[in-house]
């Protein structure tokens, strides 16, 4: 994790352990990347569904958490998550795109998709999230 990144772009815990990173973030939309490593694979040698679910969860939640202040941070919790697995991933990287679809000050809905290195749709999902107290404003917590 690089200290040069804005606070809100830094991954921690499980996300950091997996190797997820933000490559583009704007209000209502985020793009994440993950380099596929052996520990991301299942017994069949393909990316584990839990990795794909995690990418969708992070991308969709982040889509509603863009922070206007460089040192601010916004947090949310997942209320529901639906995932559809479309195809096995090919290549050495995954790209997850989350898009805010609607909602209010604290609860929001988002959609997401995961693409493989060849641009194939691997998984898609929808979720409902609640911003943590103090994360309602776009400036976030200082």
């Amino acid at each position: 994790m690089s200290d040069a990144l804005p606070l809100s772009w830094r991954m921690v815990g499980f996300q950091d352990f997996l190797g997820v990173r933000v490559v583009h973030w704007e209000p209502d939309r985020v793009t994440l990347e993950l380099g596929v490593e052996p520990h991301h694979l299942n017994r069949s040698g393909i990316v584990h569904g839990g990795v794909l679910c995690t990418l969708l969860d992070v991308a969709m939640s982040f889509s509603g958490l863009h922070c206007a202040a460089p040192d601010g941070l916004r947090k949310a919790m997942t209320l529901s998550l639906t995932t559809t697995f479309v195809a096995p991933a090919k290549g050495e990287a995954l790209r997850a795109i989350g898009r805010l679809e609607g909602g209010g000050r604290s609860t929001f809905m988002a959609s997401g998709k995961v693409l493989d290195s060849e641009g194939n749709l691997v998984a898609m999902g929808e979720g409902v999230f609640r911003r943590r107290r103090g994360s309602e404003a776009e400036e976030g917590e200082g």
Side-chain angles (χ1 to χ4, degrees), residues 29-61:
R29 186 177 170 95
V30 68
T31 303
L32 309 174
E33 283 188 352
L34 173 72
V36 177
E37 300 289 339
H39 63 272
H40 297 131
L41 307 179
N42 63 21
R43 295 173 93 174
S44 298
I46 59 175
V47 176
H48 191 283
V51 173
L52 299 173
C53 280
T54 298
L55 281 172
L56 285 168
D57 187 36
V58 175
M60 291 187 295
S61 67

PDB file of all heavy atoms in Angstrom, residues 29-61:
ATOM      1  N   ARG A  29     -18.864   6.070  -9.628  1.00  0.00           N
ATOM      2  CA  ARG A  29     -18.237   5.011 -10.427  1.00  0.00           C
ATOM      3  C   ARG A  29     -16.804   4.761  -9.965  1.00  0.00           C
ATOM      4  O   ARG A  29     -16.057   5.704  -9.725  1.00  0.00           O
ATOM      5  CB  ARG A  29     -18.248   5.404 -11.900  1.00  0.00           C
ATOM      6  CG  ARG A  29     -17.753   4.322 -12.834  1.00  0.00           C
ATOM      7  CD  ARG A  29     -17.888   4.814 -14.284  1.00  0.00           C
ATOM      8  NE  ARG A  29     -17.232   3.933 -15.194  1.00  0.00           N
ATOM      9  CZ  ARG A  29     -17.846   2.949 -15.855  1.00  0.00           C
ATOM     10  NH1 ARG A  29     -19.123   2.727 -15.669  1.00  0.00           N
ATOM     11  NH2 ARG A  29     -17.178   2.183 -16.692  1.00  0.00           N
ATOM     12  N   VAL A  30     -16.438   3.478  -9.890  1.00  0.00           N
ATOM     13  CA  VAL A  30     -15.075   3.109  -9.512  1.00  0.00           C
ATOM     14  C   VAL A  30     -14.624   1.925 -10.361  1.00  0.00           C
ATOM     15  O   VAL A  30     -15.443   1.101 -10.792  1.00  0.00           O
ATOM     16  CB  VAL A  30     -14.983   2.761  -8.002  1.00  0.00           C
ATOM     17  CG1 VAL A  30     -15.735   1.476  -7.685  1.00  0.00           C
ATOM     18  CG2 VAL A  30     -13.546   2.667  -7.525  1.00  0.00           C
ATOM     19  N   THR A  31     -13.326   1.867 -10.628  1.00  0.00           N
ATOM     20  CA  THR A  31     -12.727   0.725 -11.314  1.00  0.00           C
ATOM     21  C   THR A  31     -11.593   0.194 -10.453  1.00  0.00           C
ATOM     22  O   THR A  31     -10.719   0.949 -10.031  1.00  0.00           O
ATOM     23  CB  THR A  31     -12.187   1.121 -12.708  1.00  0.00           C
ATOM     24  OG1 THR A  31     -13.256   1.679 -13.477  1.00  0.00           O
ATOM     25  CG2 THR A  31     -11.606  -0.080 -13.431  1.00  0.00           C
ATOM     26  N   LEU A  32     -11.646  -1.113 -10.204  1.00  0.00           N
ATOM     27  CA  LEU A  32     -10.629  -1.802  -9.412  1.00  0.00           C
ATOM     28  C   LEU A  32      -9.904  -2.806 -10.289  1.00  0.00           C
ATOM     29  O   LEU A  32     -10.462  -3.287 -11.275  1.00  0.00           O
ATOM     30  CB  LEU A  32     -11.273  -2.565  -8.252  1.00  0.00           C
ATOM     31  CG  LEU A  32     -12.244  -1.826  -7.355  1.00  0.00           C
ATOM     32  CD1 LEU A  32     -12.863  -2.801  -6.363  1.00  0.00           C
ATOM     33  CD2 LEU A  32     -11.547  -0.694  -6.633  1.00  0.00           C
ATOM     34  N   GLU A  33      -8.682  -3.169  -9.896  1.00  0.00           N
ATOM     35  CA  GLU A  33      -7.952  -4.232 -10.580  1.00  0.00           C
ATOM     36  C   GLU A  33      -7.384  -5.199  -9.573  1.00  0.00           C
ATOM     37  O   GLU A  33      -7.127  -4.848  -8.418  1.00  0.00           O
ATOM     38  CB  GLU A  33      -6.816  -3.660 -11.433  1.00  0.00           C
ATOM     39  CG  GLU A  33      -7.296  -3.061 -12.720  1.00  0.00           C
ATOM     40  CD  GLU A  33      -6.164  -2.669 -13.661  1.00  0.00           C
ATOM     41  OE1 GLU A  33      -4.980  -2.724 -13.257  1.00  0.00           O
ATOM     42  OE2 GLU A  33      -6.469  -2.296 -14.800  1.00  0.00           O
ATOM     43  N   LEU A  34      -7.199  -6.427 -10.041  1.00  0.00           N
ATOM     44  CA  LEU A  34      -6.593  -7.476  -9.224  1.00  0.00           C
ATOM     45  C   LEU A  34      -5.766  -8.353 -10.144  1.00  0.00           C
ATOM     46  O   LEU A  34      -6.287  -8.879 -11.141  1.00  0.00           O
ATOM     47  CB  LEU A  34      -7.678  -8.317  -8.538  1.00  0.00           C
ATOM     48  CG  LEU A  34      -7.182  -9.548  -7.792  1.00  0.00           C
ATOM     49  CD1 LEU A  34      -6.462  -9.125  -6.514  1.00  0.00           C
ATOM     50  CD2 LEU A  34      -8.334 -10.469  -7.453  1.00  0.00           C
ATOM     51  N   GLY A  35      -4.478  -8.483  -9.845  1.00  0.00           N
ATOM     52  CA  GLY A  35      -3.634  -9.429 -10.562  1.00  0.00           C
ATOM     53  C   GLY A  35      -3.925 -10.822 -10.030  1.00  0.00           C
ATOM     54  O   GLY A  35      -3.900 -11.041  -8.822  1.00  0.00           O
ATOM     55  N   VAL A  36      -4.218 -11.759 -10.917  1.00  0.00           N
ATOM     56  CA  VAL A  36      -4.571 -13.114 -10.499  1.00  0.00           C
ATOM     57  C   VAL A  36      -3.310 -13.860 -10.070  1.00  0.00           C
ATOM     58  O   VAL A  36      -2.330 -13.937 -10.824  1.00  0.00           O
ATOM     59  CB  VAL A  36      -5.293 -13.878 -11.634  1.00  0.00           C
ATOM     60  CG1 VAL A  36      -5.582 -15.309 -11.221  1.00  0.00           C
ATOM     61  CG2 VAL A  36      -6.584 -13.152 -12.017  1.00  0.00           C
ATOM     62  N   GLU A  37      -3.354 -14.390  -8.856  1.00  0.00           N
ATOM     63  CA  GLU A  37      -2.248 -15.151  -8.266  1.00  0.00           C
ATOM     64  C   GLU A  37      -2.738 -16.560  -7.944  1.00  0.00           C
ATOM     65  O   GLU A  37      -3.944 -16.795  -7.871  1.00  0.00           O
ATOM     66  CB  GLU A  37      -1.780 -14.457  -6.972  1.00  0.00           C
ATOM     67  CG  GLU A  37      -1.295 -13.034  -7.159  1.00  0.00           C
ATOM     68  CD  GLU A  37       0.024 -12.939  -7.888  1.00  0.00           C
ATOM     69  OE1 GLU A  37       0.775 -13.949  -7.918  1.00  0.00           O
ATOM     70  OE2 GLU A  37       0.316 -11.875  -8.443  1.00  0.00           O
ATOM     71  N   PRO A  38      -1.816 -17.500  -7.718  1.00  0.00           N
ATOM     72  CA  PRO A  38      -2.221 -18.870  -7.408  1.00  0.00           C
ATOM     73  C   PRO A  38      -3.186 -18.980  -6.218  1.00  0.00           C
ATOM     74  O   PRO A  38      -4.079 -19.825  -6.228  1.00  0.00           O
ATOM     75  CB  PRO A  38      -0.897 -19.579  -7.112  1.00  0.00           C
ATOM     76  CG  PRO A  38       0.107 -18.818  -7.925  1.00  0.00           C
ATOM     77  CD  PRO A  38      -0.366 -17.381  -7.873  1.00  0.00           C
ATOM     78  N   HIS A  39      -3.041 -18.113  -5.220  1.00  0.00           N
ATOM     79  CA  HIS A  39      -3.926 -18.208  -4.046  1.00  0.00           C
ATOM     80  C   HIS A  39      -5.343 -17.697  -4.323  1.00  0.00           C
ATOM     81  O   HIS A  39      -6.212 -17.817  -3.475  1.00  0.00           O
ATOM     82  CB  HIS A  39      -3.313 -17.505  -2.822  1.00  0.00           C
ATOM     83  CG  HIS A  39      -3.098 -16.036  -2.984  1.00  0.00           C
ATOM     84  ND1 HIS A  39      -1.951 -15.510  -3.514  1.00  0.00           N
ATOM     85  CD2 HIS A  39      -3.889 -14.990  -2.676  1.00  0.00           C
ATOM     86  CE1 HIS A  39      -2.037 -14.193  -3.532  1.00  0.00           C
ATOM     87  NE2 HIS A  39      -3.207 -13.846  -3.025  1.00  0.00           N
ATOM     88  N   HIS A  40      -5.595 -17.154  -5.515  1.00  0.00           N
ATOM     89  CA  HIS A  40      -6.945 -16.732  -5.908  1.00  0.00           C
ATOM     90  C   HIS A  40      -7.735 -17.859  -6.595  1.00  0.00           C
ATOM     91  O   HIS A  40      -8.914 -17.690  -6.886  1.00  0.00           O
ATOM     92  CB  HIS A  40      -6.891 -15.538  -6.869  1.00  0.00           C
ATOM     93  CG  HIS A  40      -6.300 -14.312  -6.268  1.00  0.00           C
ATOM     94  ND1 HIS A  40      -5.319 -13.587  -6.896  1.00  0.00           N
ATOM     95  CD2 HIS A  40      -6.548 -13.672  -5.096  1.00  0.00           C
ATOM     96  CE1 HIS A  40      -4.977 -12.547  -6.140  1.00  0.00           C
ATOM     97  NE2 HIS A  40      -5.712 -12.582  -5.042  1.00  0.00           N
ATOM     98  N   LEU A  41      -7.084 -18.967  -6.853  1.00  0.00           N
ATOM     99  CA  LEU A  41      -7.684 -20.036  -7.642  1.00  0.00           C
ATOM    100  C   LEU A  41      -8.352 -21.094  -6.769  1.00  0.00           C
ATOM    101  O   LEU A  41      -7.952 -21.328  -5.633  1.00  0.00           O
ATOM    102  CB  LEU A  41      -6.614 -20.705  -8.519  1.00  0.00           C
ATOM    103  CG  LEU A  41      -5.794 -19.764  -9.413  1.00  0.00           C
ATOM    104  CD1 LEU A  41      -4.768 -20.560 -10.203  1.00  0.00           C
ATOM    105  CD2 LEU A  41      -6.680 -18.930 -10.312  1.00  0.00           C
ATOM    106  N   ASN A  42      -9.345 -21.776  -7.362  1.00  0.00           N
ATOM    107  CA  ASN A  42      -9.987 -22.895  -6.670  1.00  0.00           C
ATOM    108  C   ASN A  42      -9.327 -24.210  -7.104  1.00  0.00           C
ATOM    109  O   ASN A  42      -8.321 -24.202  -7.827  1.00  0.00           O
ATOM    110  CB  ASN A  42     -11.503 -22.896  -6.916  1.00  0.00           C
ATOM    111  CG  ASN A  42     -11.870 -23.089  -8.377  1.00  0.00           C
ATOM    112  OD1 ASN A  42     -11.088 -23.592  -9.178  1.00  0.00           O
ATOM    113  ND2 ASN A  42     -13.089 -22.696  -8.724  1.00  0.00           N
ATOM    114  N   ARG A  43      -9.892 -25.334  -6.699  1.00  0.00           N
ATOM    115  CA  ARG A  43      -9.313 -26.643  -7.016  1.00  0.00           C
ATOM    116  C   ARG A  43      -9.305 -26.943  -8.506  1.00  0.00           C
ATOM    117  O   ARG A  43      -8.536 -27.792  -8.971  1.00  0.00           O
ATOM    118  CB  ARG A  43     -10.108 -27.734  -6.296  1.00  0.00           C
ATOM    119  CG  ARG A  43      -9.998 -27.634  -4.802  1.00  0.00           C
ATOM    120  CD  ARG A  43     -10.919 -28.613  -4.153  1.00  0.00           C
ATOM    121  NE  ARG A  43     -10.172 -29.833  -3.895  1.00  0.00           N
ATOM    122  CZ  ARG A  43     -10.663 -30.855  -3.228  1.00  0.00           C
ATOM    123  NH1 ARG A  43     -11.893 -30.829  -2.769  1.00  0.00           N
ATOM    124  NH2 ARG A  43      -9.933 -31.921  -3.019  1.00  0.00           N
ATOM    125  N   SER A  44     -10.151 -26.262  -9.260  1.00  0.00           N
ATOM    126  CA  SER A  44     -10.197 -26.463 -10.712  1.00  0.00           C
ATOM    127  C   SER A  44      -9.220 -25.566 -11.462  1.00  0.00           C
ATOM    128  O   SER A  44      -9.156 -25.594 -12.695  1.00  0.00           O
ATOM    129  CB  SER A  44     -11.620 -26.201 -11.227  1.00  0.00           C
ATOM    130  OG  SER A  44     -12.528 -27.108 -10.652  1.00  0.00           O
ATOM    131  N   GLY A  45      -8.490 -24.728 -10.715  1.00  0.00           N
ATOM    132  CA  GLY A  45      -7.507 -23.850 -11.340  1.00  0.00           C
ATOM    133  C   GLY A  45      -8.078 -22.573 -11.920  1.00  0.00           C
ATOM    134  O   GLY A  45      -7.420 -21.897 -12.705  1.00  0.00           O
ATOM    135  N   ILE A  46      -9.326 -22.231 -11.539  1.00  0.00           N
ATOM    136  CA  ILE A  46      -9.920 -20.973 -12.002  1.00  0.00           C
ATOM    137  C   ILE A  46     -10.157 -20.067 -10.796  1.00  0.00           C
ATOM    138  O   ILE A  46     -10.178 -20.529  -9.651  1.00  0.00           O
ATOM    139  CB  ILE A  46     -11.234 -21.198 -12.785  1.00  0.00           C
ATOM    140  CG1 ILE A  46     -12.271 -21.925 -11.936  1.00  0.00           C
ATOM    141  CG2 ILE A  46     -10.959 -21.953 -14.066  1.00  0.00           C
ATOM    142  CD1 ILE A  46     -13.631 -22.065 -12.600  1.00  0.00           C
ATOM    143  N   VAL A  47     -10.341 -18.782 -11.058  1.00  0.00           N
ATOM    144  CA  VAL A  47     -10.531 -17.819  -9.965  1.00  0.00           C
ATOM    145  C   VAL A  47     -11.730 -18.238  -9.116  1.00  0.00           C
ATOM    146  O   VAL A  47     -12.816 -18.510  -9.628  1.00  0.00           O
ATOM    147  CB  VAL A  47     -10.719 -16.389 -10.512  1.00  0.00           C
ATOM    148  CG1 VAL A  47     -11.014 -15.414  -9.382  1.00  0.00           C
ATOM    149  CG2 VAL A  47      -9.488 -15.942 -11.283  1.00  0.00           C
ATOM    150  N   HIS A  48     -11.509 -18.307  -7.821  1.00  0.00           N
ATOM    151  CA  HIS A  48     -12.536 -18.717  -6.860  1.00  0.00           C
ATOM    152  C   HIS A  48     -13.688 -17.714  -6.856  1.00  0.00           C
ATOM    153  O   HIS A  48     -13.476 -16.504  -6.947  1.00  0.00           O
ATOM    154  CB  HIS A  48     -11.917 -18.803  -5.467  1.00  0.00           C
ATOM    155  CG  HIS A  48     -12.788 -19.446  -4.457  1.00  0.00           C
ATOM    156  ND1 HIS A  48     -13.844 -18.798  -3.874  1.00  0.00           N
ATOM    157  CD2 HIS A  48     -12.764 -20.693  -3.929  1.00  0.00           C
ATOM    158  CE1 HIS A  48     -14.441 -19.611  -3.018  1.00  0.00           C
ATOM    159  NE2 HIS A  48     -13.799 -20.772  -3.035  1.00  0.00           N
ATOM    160  N   GLY A  49     -14.919 -18.222  -6.754  1.00  0.00           N
ATOM    161  CA  GLY A  49     -16.099 -17.367  -6.713  1.00  0.00           C
ATOM    162  C   GLY A  49     -16.071 -16.361  -5.578  1.00  0.00           C
ATOM    163  O   GLY A  49     -16.597 -15.254  -5.708  1.00  0.00           O
ATOM    164  N   GLY A  50     -15.435 -16.707  -4.465  1.00  0.00           N
ATOM    165  CA  GLY A  50     -15.325 -15.774  -3.337  1.00  0.00           C
ATOM    166  C   GLY A  50     -14.493 -14.550  -3.681  1.00  0.00           C
ATOM    167  O   GLY A  50     -14.771 -13.442  -3.210  1.00  0.00           O
ATOM    168  N   VAL A  51     -13.489 -14.736  -4.525  1.00  0.00           N
ATOM    169  CA  VAL A  51     -12.679 -13.607  -4.986  1.00  0.00           C
ATOM    170  C   VAL A  51     -13.536 -12.694  -5.858  1.00  0.00           C
ATOM    171  O   VAL A  51     -13.514 -11.470  -5.709  1.00  0.00           O
ATOM    172  CB  VAL A  51     -11.432 -14.101  -5.751  1.00  0.00           C
ATOM    173  CG1 VAL A  51     -10.674 -12.933  -6.376  1.00  0.00           C
ATOM    174  CG2 VAL A  51     -10.518 -14.896  -4.824  1.00  0.00           C
ATOM    175  N   LEU A  52     -14.319 -13.292  -6.754  1.00  0.00           N
ATOM    176  CA  LEU A  52     -15.193 -12.500  -7.621  1.00  0.00           C
ATOM    177  C   LEU A  52     -16.247 -11.758  -6.807  1.00  0.00           C
ATOM    178  O   LEU A  52     -16.527 -10.580  -7.065  1.00  0.00           O
ATOM    179  CB  LEU A  52     -15.855 -13.399  -8.669  1.00  0.00           C
ATOM    180  CG  LEU A  52     -14.895 -14.117  -9.613  1.00  0.00           C
ATOM    181  CD1 LEU A  52     -15.650 -15.107 -10.488  1.00  0.00           C
ATOM    182  CD2 LEU A  52     -14.087 -13.145 -10.436  1.00  0.00           C
ATOM    183  N   CYS A  53     -16.840 -12.433  -5.812  1.00  0.00           N
ATOM    184  CA  CYS A  53     -17.823 -11.772  -4.926  1.00  0.00           C
ATOM    185  C   CYS A  53     -17.192 -10.602  -4.189  1.00  0.00           C
ATOM    186  O   CYS A  53     -17.804  -9.543  -4.062  1.00  0.00           O
ATOM    187  CB  CYS A  53     -18.380 -12.770  -3.915  1.00  0.00           C
ATOM    188  SG  CYS A  53     -19.658 -13.827  -4.555  1.00  0.00           S
ATOM    189  N   THR A  54     -15.972 -10.804  -3.709  1.00  0.00           N
ATOM    190  CA  THR A  54     -15.286  -9.729  -2.993  1.00  0.00           C
ATOM    191  C   THR A  54     -15.042  -8.543  -3.902  1.00  0.00           C
ATOM    192  O   THR A  54     -15.269  -7.386  -3.515  1.00  0.00           O
ATOM    193  CB  THR A  54     -13.955 -10.236  -2.395  1.00  0.00           C
ATOM    194  OG1 THR A  54     -14.237 -11.270  -1.447  1.00  0.00           O
ATOM    195  CG2 THR A  54     -13.190  -9.114  -1.718  1.00  0.00           C
ATOM    196  N   LEU A  55     -14.578  -8.798  -5.127  1.00  0.00           N
ATOM    197  CA  LEU A  55     -14.359  -7.697  -6.077  1.00  0.00           C
ATOM    198  C   LEU A  55     -15.649  -6.927  -6.333  1.00  0.00           C
ATOM    199  O   LEU A  55     -15.651  -5.691  -6.350  1.00  0.00           O
ATOM    200  CB  LEU A  55     -13.804  -8.233  -7.399  1.00  0.00           C
ATOM    201  CG  LEU A  55     -12.326  -8.554  -7.413  1.00  0.00           C
ATOM    202  CD1 LEU A  55     -11.949  -9.267  -8.709  1.00  0.00           C
ATOM    203  CD2 LEU A  55     -11.502  -7.282  -7.248  1.00  0.00           C
ATOM    204  N   LEU A  56     -16.748  -7.653  -6.532  1.00  0.00           N
ATOM    205  CA  LEU A  56     -18.037  -6.982  -6.741  1.00  0.00           C
ATOM    206  C   LEU A  56     -18.445  -6.186  -5.511  1.00  0.00           C
ATOM    207  O   LEU A  56     -18.882  -5.034  -5.622  1.00  0.00           O
ATOM    208  CB  LEU A  56     -19.113  -7.998  -7.101  1.00  0.00           C
ATOM    209  CG  LEU A  56     -19.050  -8.551  -8.518  1.00  0.00           C
ATOM    210  CD1 LEU A  56     -19.964  -9.760  -8.663  1.00  0.00           C
ATOM    211  CD2 LEU A  56     -19.407  -7.476  -9.528  1.00  0.00           C
ATOM    212  N   ASP A  57     -18.318  -6.767  -4.348  1.00  0.00           N
ATOM    213  CA  ASP A  57     -18.703  -6.106  -3.099  1.00  0.00           C
ATOM    214  C   ASP A  57     -17.933  -4.808  -2.907  1.00  0.00           C
ATOM    215  O   ASP A  57     -18.508  -3.757  -2.617  1.00  0.00           O
ATOM    216  CB  ASP A  57     -18.471  -7.062  -1.931  1.00  0.00           C
ATOM    217  CG  ASP A  57     -18.981  -6.539  -0.609  1.00  0.00           C
ATOM    218  OD1 ASP A  57     -20.028  -5.858  -0.579  1.00  0.00           O
ATOM    219  OD2 ASP A  57     -18.334  -6.834   0.420  1.00  0.00           O
ATOM    220  N   VAL A  58     -16.630  -4.862  -3.099  1.00  0.00           N
ATOM    221  CA  VAL A  58     -15.789  -3.677  -2.916  1.00  0.00           C
ATOM    222  C   VAL A  58     -16.113  -2.628  -3.981  1.00  0.00           C
ATOM    223  O   VAL A  58     -16.292  -1.444  -3.664  1.00  0.00           O
ATOM    224  CB  VAL A  58     -14.295  -4.045  -2.940  1.00  0.00           C
ATOM    225  CG1 VAL A  58     -13.417  -2.786  -2.863  1.00  0.00           C
ATOM    226  CG2 VAL A  58     -13.963  -4.992  -1.798  1.00  0.00           C
ATOM    227  N   ALA A  59     -16.210  -3.049  -5.240  1.00  0.00           N
ATOM    228  CA  ALA A  59     -16.485  -2.084  -6.319  1.00  0.00           C
ATOM    229  C   ALA A  59     -17.840  -1.413  -6.133  1.00  0.00           C
ATOM    230  O   ALA A  59     -17.966  -0.188  -6.268  1.00  0.00           O
ATOM    231  CB  ALA A  59     -16.409  -2.774  -7.680  1.00  0.00           C
ATOM    232  N   MET A  60     -18.853  -2.198  -5.811  1.00  0.00           N
ATOM    233  CA  MET A  60     -20.189  -1.615  -5.662  1.00  0.00           C
ATOM    234  C   MET A  60     -20.254  -0.694  -4.449  1.00  0.00           C
ATOM    235  O   MET A  60     -20.836   0.391  -4.534  1.00  0.00           O
ATOM    236  CB  MET A  60     -21.239  -2.722  -5.596  1.00  0.00           C
ATOM    237  CG  MET A  60     -21.412  -3.439  -6.917  1.00  0.00           C
ATOM    238  SD  MET A  60     -22.774  -4.624  -6.977  1.00  0.00           S
ATOM    239  CE  MET A  60     -22.264  -5.866  -5.812  1.00  0.00           C
ATOM    240  N   SER A  61     -19.654  -1.101  -3.342  1.00  0.00           N
ATOM    241  CA  SER A  61     -19.703  -0.221  -2.163  1.00  0.00           C
ATOM    242  C   SER A  61     -18.907   1.063  -2.401  1.00  0.00           C
ATOM    243  O   SER A  61     -19.367   2.152  -2.079  1.00  0.00           O
ATOM    244  CB  SER A  61     -19.221  -0.950  -0.907  1.00  0.00           C
ATOM    245  OG  SER A  61     -17.848  -1.255  -0.984  1.00  0.00           O
TER     246      SER A  61
END
